[in-house]
Amino acid sequence: APHKAGAWIAMAQLESSLAEYERARAIYELAVGQPLLDLPELVWKSFIDFEATLEENDVRVRALYRRLLERTKHVKVWLSLARWEHEASGAAASRKAFSEAHDYFKTEGQKLERLAVLEGWLQVARESGDDDTVAEVSALMPNKVKKKRAVVADDGTDGGWEEYYDYVFPDERAKQPSLKILEMAHKWKRQKTGAEDE
């Protein structure tokens, strides 16, 4: 069945095991071109792994990752690309991929994905012993803050308040209105109510 990812992968792996790499590649190309697949991520992963196992094939692997990123901008694809770049081409290529992913999720306003990219970047930097990158990425890490928001029930009535966690990145702190005035107002109010109690 053309929508079964497992069948495409099995055919391509059979050709690969027979050292028919061009035929395996052609099967993978047909598979990723299918409009409907039950598990397209498995086909893409298998195709990328196939190309990565062939010697001196960095250009094809990189091109496959870029094609996949045109279809989906999922954080796992970005992290996989950056880690592969680190192994295949070194820290500079990995830095470029992590930076590109970070900028994409920053622009899209996807905080959890942005955090995942930074955590992956930090892990790779620590594993490779790159203290400068560790310091640089650590400076980009967000603060986790507890916030409250109003809850509206399904019927439109007030459902009270719920607490949730949000992430405030360093570049967002600069854009926020100054909270210093609000802090000073709260301090003044506490002092005033404390003076009235005496």
Side-chain angles (χ1 to χ4, degrees):
H3 66 281
K4 296 283 188 185
W8 288 105
I9 294 169
M11 284 192 302
Q13 287 176 342
L14 173 67
E15 295 295 345
S16 179
S17 70
L18 299 171
E20 293 285 349
Y21 301 125
E22 289 303 319
R23 292 177 84 173
R25 186 175 290 123
I27 290 170
Y28 278 123
E29 287 292 350
L30 284 170
V32 297
Q34 293 299 310
L36 291 174
L37 276 175
D38 57 353
L39 298 168
E41 65 276 8
L42 292 182
V43 175
W44 280 99
K45 182 179 182 337
S46 183
F47 194 3
I48 289 169
D49 290 346
F50 161 75
E51 291 291 3
T53 59
L54 300 178
E55 302 226 354
E56 310 257 338
N57 219 10
D58 294 352
V59 174
R60 286 184 193 253
V61 175
R62 192 172 291 111
L64 277 175
Y65 271 116
R66 292 298 169 183
R67 283 175 54 196
L68 181 55
L69 284 170
E70 289 173 9
R71 288 184 170 212
T72 178
K73 300 285 188 184
H74 197 278
V75 67
K76 287 185 178 180
V77 177
W78 283 107
L79 291 173
S80 180
L81 168 63
R83 286 193 179 104
W84 174 81
E85 286 285 12
H86 186 74
E87 293 169 9
S89 303
S94 177
R95 169 187 287 278
K96 182 180 176 196
F98 275 121
S99 181
E100 188 179 345
H102 178 257
D103 292 344
Y104 171 77
F105 290 118
K106 177 180 173 182
T107 303
E108 294 296 313
Q110 296 176 329
K111 291 184 176 189
L112 293 176
E113 290 81 357
R114 187 176 172 192
L115 175 63
V117 168
L118 290 174
E119 287 173 343
W121 195 352
L122 198 58
Q123 181 182 2
V124 168
R126 284 185 178 139
E127 288 170 1
S128 62
D130 186 353
D131 294 335
D132 293 338
T133 302
V134 168
E136 179 185 333
V137 175
S138 294
L140 297 173
M141 294 297 280
N143 290 332
K144 185 177 181 179
V145 293
K146 188 187 288 189
K147 293 183 175 182
K148 289 185 180 183
R149 62 180 161 211
V151 176
V152 179
D154 292 338
D155 60 359
T157 59
D158 183 23
W161 292 88
E162 74 173 352
E163 290 183 345
Y164 70 100
Y165 289 99
D166 192 17
Y167 295 95
V168 180
F169 289 86
D171 57 342
E172 293 173 333
R173 281 185 230 129
K175 294 178 184 175
Q176 287 182 337
S178 177
L179 297 178
K180 192 73 169 166
I181 295 172
L182 188 59
E183 290 173 17
M184 291 173 57
H186 284 300
K187 183 178 177 184
W188 175 79
K189 185 177 180 183
R190 282 194 302 270
Q191 288 175 345
K192 187 175 178 186
T193 57
E196 289 175 359
D197 291 344
E198 291 176 2

